[in-house]
Amino acid sequence: MNGRDRIAAFATITPLLLLSEDLSSAQSRLAPSFPVELTANLGSSPIFELTNFRVASNEYIAQGSTGAFLASEAGQHRDLNGDGDTDDLVLFVYDASTNTVSNLRLAVQNFLVLVADDLVAFSVSESHQAHTDLNGNGSAFDDIVHIYDRRTHTVSNLGLAGFPMACDSGVVAMGVGEAAQGVDLNGDGDLFDCVVHVYDSTTGLVQNLVLDCGQNVAVLHGGLLAFAVTEANQGNTDLNGNGDTRQQVVHVYDVAANRTINTRLASIYRPLIAGSLVVVEASEVGQGIDLNGDGDATDDCAVAFDTATESIIYFGIAVDGLRANDSVICAAVNEVLQGHTDLNGDGEISGVTAFAIDVATAEVRNLGLQLSDRRAMAAIGTQVAFAVGEIGQGPTDLNGDGDTRDDVLQVYDAATSITTNLGLAISDFQFYPFRPAASQLCFTVDEAAQRADLNGDGDRGDRVFHVYDVADNSVTNLGVGANEGIAEITASGSLFGFRVSESGQGNRDMNGDGDTGDRIVYIYDFLRRSLHPTQVAATDEPVVGDVFALFGASEPRQRNHDLNGDGDAQDNVANVVIAIDRGACEAGTVGLGVGSPVDVLRINGLTRDATVPRNSPVTVSLVAGPSGPAPAPYLLWIWSGERQLPMSLSVNGQTIGCLINPSPFDPTYTPQPMWCLHSTAVSCHGIHTLSSPSSAPFTSSRTSGFAHALTLTLQGVLRDESAANPPHISVTNSVILRVD
């Protein structure tokens, strides 16, 4: 964009609302209480902003500040990777730090994509990438592992035919196929295996662990990679010393030490990593020994390998499932397999009982409560959450509804050894809704089982979303839900994402398309304790990063609107909802393209809060950005009152930052600016203009100050060659002036 175009783009920032010049009449009006259905803005809210990428898509993944999805060339009617056809699925990457999406122009036909931190690991299809040989083996029929680094915006072809298995903290583990690569990679004399490799983004190097990747059961956390090796594929080697070669044996790779350790534990299940422990459902048959002391060797038992001491911890319990985090392990222990023992004291031997294991001490505790389903448990913070079946617990009425047919939520705190009955009947476990995130848990409560209308729609046929917070042991009813099937819930950072059914919400048309058969994407921010509707119908659940939710909007379900501009209304179109950061709004975006935000706006030399006595001098100064220009066009708004309602600000479709209060571009929100200062290149138009210097940098003083007590907030925009956006326009920091 040339200088003239940038000035033209800057000139589009024009106030749209005429406000009174009188200070008393310009006081802030109260904004409507949340939730607000913002049909005009199609899902944006004062705290969240919706962006339509206008790309037909499917298959979404997200973590941290990074998301990814596959764009359909057929749905977009365009060649997106430059190979001359329109039958590919092409990878797009979303960067929440800039709220932008990038087309990597690479075909990924199978969703072999993982995201963690700043990395996206994926496999490119040679046959769909213009039949290009990407690993130099002379053919063009393989899937080749690539890495995208969000920090450098670069793609690296690792030249390995395979797929990513696990990704965390700048490290990617992948399985590489010997046949496709044309090389014996684990030294067993054949080309039939899949061999584990590890990529470290800090060095850019790939390490071949020379071990078979088993059934792709791998987990990467805290610098440790745990994976299972198939003995038969590792040269028919007995890896656990039981005398045969029929097992899968768990190994651990320490990334920092570049060292692989054989735990000698046989398991067909995905291992877990909890602190320094690698937790395994070890097979007694595979080990050839009795691991829980019940006199047989036919069970799967909880065992841990401690990487700090390189020793094995036998927990002595037969399990039907495990969950874990760095503080606590929860286990479903089978009474029949645990020596036909009544573990919950109900006089029967038939179910699975909840156990908890303290990661720090390895202490095993029987919680004495029968699980309604072996999947019905989660580790959150220092607590274990699990569902207890009333009929299997006595039977006992645990939620006080007069029957004993429900599955009721309980939490056990490993720090206090206290179990608390939350008294809520949760939904079925076809797709179990527990999704641990930080110290919060989102789940659905069954109105029929709870015998209560929990979302206020006049019936008791819904599954209503609730959030449990470990920090204060509180439960919040979100007052929205679904009445068909179980909604998947995704969680990351401070957000939960899910879909709410219109029919389950009192047959309300929540996206304005004239029917009540849709499922609308909702976001819950548990830091702000606020629920946000997007008013957008989706066919699948959103995927959630730390500050955003990525999902496909359904054109047929969204008023039959053509959301990607291809002339039809048959696609799912990529959308993102991103949280607006109050701190970022205060700091502005000047200089963000070359480093951290720079404070360019000052009142009496202060960059955030300035307090002055009545009738005392007030000096406003504005300097240029780190890279100029000087002189620079600018526009400063002045609001009555303090920071109240942060809103994003866009120029020509580019989000350039956010303001601590709404701009005149958002006339439906208050407070609106009451005065402005501007350069000769732009105009305040409808808003009263104060006497203003022609460009930045400048210093302007009101020597007599103000005669009455008041509070004003200043913030604006500035031409900035160091901006992090193509229009080269940045939002300044905000400053509050208090006159006492």
Side-chain angles (χ1 to χ4, degrees), residues 145-490:
V145 179
H146 287 59
I147 306 292
Y148 174 77
D149 192 320
R150 185 175 60 86
R151 297 161 298 184
T152 60
H153 308 291
T154 56
V155 176
S156 299
N157 175 8
L158 301 188
L160 298 171
F163 54 92
M165 299 169 60
C167 186
D168 182 68
S169 301
V171 178
V172 177
M174 68 205 82
V176 179
E178 291 180 330
Q181 201 64 18
V183 180
D184 177 9
L185 297 170
N186 66 337
D188 67 347
D190 62 47
L191 299 179
F192 304 138
D193 311 316
C194 167
V195 178
V196 180
H197 288 59
V198 176
Y199 168 80
D200 189 339
S201 65
T202 60
T203 63
L205 299 177
V206 176
Q207 179 75 27
N208 178 7
L209 302 191
V210 200
L211 290 167
D212 173 78
C213 67
Q215 300 299 314
N216 312 328
V217 285
V219 61
L220 182 59
H221 174 66
L224 298 175
L225 170 68
F227 59 98
V229 178
T230 302
E231 292 179 326
N233 294 343
Q234 194 63 27
N236 286 303
T237 306
D238 180 6
L239 296 172
N240 67 330
N242 72 334
D244 64 44
T245 59
R246 298 192 297 267
Q247 317 305 324
Q248 291 191 77
V249 179
V250 175
H251 286 59
V252 182
Y253 174 67
D254 186 320
V255 176
N258 188 22
R259 182 179 177 220
T260 304
I261 306 169
N262 179 4
T263 70
R264 301 176 70 82
L265 295 172
S267 177
I268 62 172
Y269 302 102
R270 183 183 300 274
L272 303 173
I273 296 177
S276 65
L277 303 182
V278 176
V279 186
V280 175
E281 292 183 53
S283 166
E284 289 184 332
V285 173
Q287 291 299 112
I289 56 176
D290 179 7
L291 297 173
N292 65 333
D294 67 346
D296 63 50
T298 59
D299 311 318
D300 292 320
C301 297
V303 180
F305 179 83
D306 191 340
T307 59
T309 61
E310 296 190 18
S311 60
I312 294 178
I313 303 171
Y314 298 98
F315 296 122
I317 50 177
V319 294
D320 267 351
L322 293 168
R323 303 284 189 274
N325 61 17
D326 288 338
S327 299
V328 64
I329 303 165
C330 46
V333 180
N334 190 303
E335 290 182 327
V336 172
L337 301 182
Q338 191 61 24
H340 288 80
T341 306
D342 179 9
L343 297 172
N344 69 325
D346 67 347
E348 297 180 352
I349 302 170
S350 59
V352 290
T353 300
F355 275 59
I357 303 171
D358 189 307
V359 170
T361 65
E363 177 188 359
V364 180
R365 181 178 291 269
N366 177 6
L367 304 186
L369 295 168
Q370 187 174 112
L371 289 169
S372 53
D373 189 284
R374 65 184 181 83
R375 297 166 294 171
M377 57 185 181
I380 50 169
T382 62
Q383 296 187 3
V384 170
F386 54 98
V388 175
E390 290 180 329
I391 195 168
Q393 195 61 31
T396 306
D397 181 8
L398 297 172
N399 66 329
D401 68 342
D403 64 50
T404 57
R405 300 188 299 268
D406 310 320
D407 302 317
V408 180
L409 190 61
Q410 314 266 322
V411 291
Y412 167 77
D413 194 330
T416 63
S417 300
I418 295 174
T419 300
T420 302
N421 175 15
L422 299 185
L424 296 170
I426 65 173
S427 303
D428 65 83
F429 312 112
Q430 182 179 1
F431 297 102
Y432 199 70
F434 281 145
R435 293 293 184 270
S439 59
Q440 287 78 23
L441 180 74
C442 191
F443 57 96
T444 57
V445 176
D446 190 328
E447 288 185 329
Q450 197 66 16
R451 298 194 180 187
D453 177 11
L454 299 171
N455 64 336
D457 67 347
D459 64 49
R460 296 182 180 180
D462 311 315
R463 297 170 173 89
V464 178
F465 294 102
H466 287 61
V467 170
Y468 171 71
D469 193 329
V470 170
D472 56 8
N473 296 315
S474 64
V475 176
T476 301
N477 176 8
L478 303 189
V480 293
N483 70 349
E484 65 283 304
I486 270 292
E488 286 291 306
I489 301 168
T490 58

Side-chain angles (χ1 to χ4, degrees), residues 48 53 57-70 92 94 96 111 113 115 435 488-493 495-499 521-523 534 538-553 574-578:
F48 281 85
F53 294 133
S57 59
N58 55 29
E59 302 287 358
Y60 306 87
I61 189 170
Q63 189 182 74
S65 296
T66 309
F69 60 89
L70 296 185
F92 280 58
Y94 171 71
F111 196 57
V113 181
V115 173
R435 293 293 184 270
E488 286 291 306
I489 301 168
T490 58
S492 180
L495 305 181
F496 288 105
F498 44 81
R499 290 183 301 158
V521 173
Y522 271 64
I523 308 300
T534 66
T539 53
D540 294 298
E541 308 306 323
V543 298
V544 178
D546 286 350
V547 295
F548 70 93
L550 188 64
F551 61 93
N575 279 249
V576 71
V577 177
I578 186 168

Side-chain angles (χ1 to χ4, degrees), residues 601-688:
L601 178 62
R602 293 176 173 81
I603 298 179
N604 288 2
L606 301 173
T607 61
R608 288 294 184 273
D609 296 273
T611 301
V612 300
R614 300 180 190 183
N615 301 311
S616 297
V618 175
T619 298
V620 176
S621 61
L622 180 67
V623 300
S627 304
Y634 72 92
L635 174 62
L636 296 179
W637 287 295
I638 304 175
W639 294 267
S640 173
E642 299 190 9
R643 308 174 180 96
Q644 295 181 46
L645 200 62
M647 299 288 288
S648 64
L649 184 64
S650 297
V651 175
N652 290 352
Q654 288 280 337
T655 299
I656 64 171
C658 55
L659 301 170
I660 43 74
N661 285 325
S663 74
F665 294 118
D666 302 295
T668 59
Y669 295 109
T670 59
Q672 285 286 312
M674 48 184 292
W675 295 323
C676 83
L677 294 82
H678 69 92
S679 68
T680 55
V682 291
S683 172
C684 293
H685 292 277
I687 295 179
H688 180 66

